[in-house]
Amino acid sequence: MKIAFTAPMKPLDDPIPSGDRTMGRLIVKALEAGEHEVRIATRFRSWRKDGGEDLQRAVKQDALAEAERIAKEWDAENYRPDIFLTYHLYHKAPDWIGPALADRFSIPYAIMEASRAPKRKTGHWAFGFAAADEALARADQVAALHRADSECLADVVPKDRLRVLLPFLDTRAFETDSSPAQTDSIAGDKPLKLLTVAMMREGDKTHSYEVLAAALGKVQDLPWHLTIVGDGPARDHILPLFPADRITMRGALPPDDLPAHYAAHDLFVWPAIREAFGFVFLEAQASGLGVVAGDTFGVPDIVIDGETGLISPEGDAEAFAQNLRKVLEDTSLAARLGEAARAHIKANHRLQAGTRRLNAFLEAAQDQYWHRMPSDKRYAATDLT
């Protein structure tokens, strides 16, 4: 299948690392593993930090001009994709390009990872919200990455065009022969080695670090050592929150260095305030680490509470500390969580599983498109293929 792809939230070659960029790249990788031909239709980024109708109208005009440029390019090359796929759409990052090209070339249109915040229907983001809703209504298939988003999308996307497509990752770099269950820390000979991987940005990331520091402060009577992988503008605020003699700061590291750090630790800890699902939870579990996490959006969809990790209410430092204490007082629990976590990822969240889910998603989009198309246009479209 020939797939035209775009990511209005953040282009896949954006220099700033994030779970969003990682997931977008993995979607393309899984599609190519399924022998699809993926073409990045555009790097156009509709995302804006600030709202307002005038700004959003200007973005729309630029987007439609980009759609016209792409259409001329496709015509000149005699290129016609089988489907247009947009990754990550919401009120701050509407998609005007995908629907315009899908209509012009009479092809299905699908959206991967959509979210919807009804409170943005009015106010500063109303124009972007309405534009995102128009794209969702036009889509032949929409996939959310967790159930919480799916529930909000159900108000605008019919049930037969909406599904949850759980995230996945390429586990090869994380599946090593070593197991955290064999470390000295889990055997009780040394402090349990905790790990967190997160950028130090203002807002929700900083809030998560604050909750983590508060929780760890409540278990200082027990042995533990925390490694932090991450950096950013909030570093000077965040680092003093932790006792200097109990942390190791590694700074921001390239993705290729992360598997070794996961493998060298016993437990992954992160409150995940307001995160869609936390890609690091997939990486940690694939590496054989159990997790202590916050109950945020899609986290319960990928971390099995009581089996692969311990989940506490979002932002609740006391409950987070209680879960930490359970593992710190019984270090064998870290081993049990880690073993279950590795098996869970292997069974449900590997790249191969992602390819199967994406294939089914694209086929459903095509079926829905043909089902919705009037018969006279259906025959005309068939003549073009």
Side-chain angles (χ1 to χ4, degrees), residues 83-90 95 99 109-115 132-144 153 157 161-163 165 361-362 365:
I83 193 167
F84 196 102
L85 177 62
T86 293
Y87 169 66
H88 206 165
L89 173 154
Y90 73 126
D95 181 27
Y109 172 61
I111 300 170
M112 265 291 305
E113 190 174 358
S115 58
D133 265 12
E134 288 176 10
L136 290 167
R138 163 63 180 83
D140 298 291
Q141 202 71 198
V142 176
L153 291 167
V157 182
R161 285 188 270 143
L162 177 63
R163 64 179 62 198
L165 199 156
F361 172 71
L362 295 174

Side-chain angles (χ1 to χ4, degrees), residues 88-142:
H88 206 165
L89 173 154
Y90 73 126
H91 63 272
K92 286 189 177 182
D95 181 27
W96 290 283
I97 294 175
L101 291 173
D103 287 344
R104 180 158 177 169
F105 288 87
S106 299
I107 58 174
Y109 172 61
I111 300 170
M112 265 291 305
E113 190 174 358
S115 58
R116 187 173 186 267
K119 66 181 180 180
R120 301 300 184 187
K121 189 173 185 178
T122 58
H124 209 46
W125 288 104
F127 190 87
F129 180 91
D133 265 12
E134 288 176 10
L136 290 167
R138 163 63 180 83
D140 298 291
Q141 202 71 198
V142 176

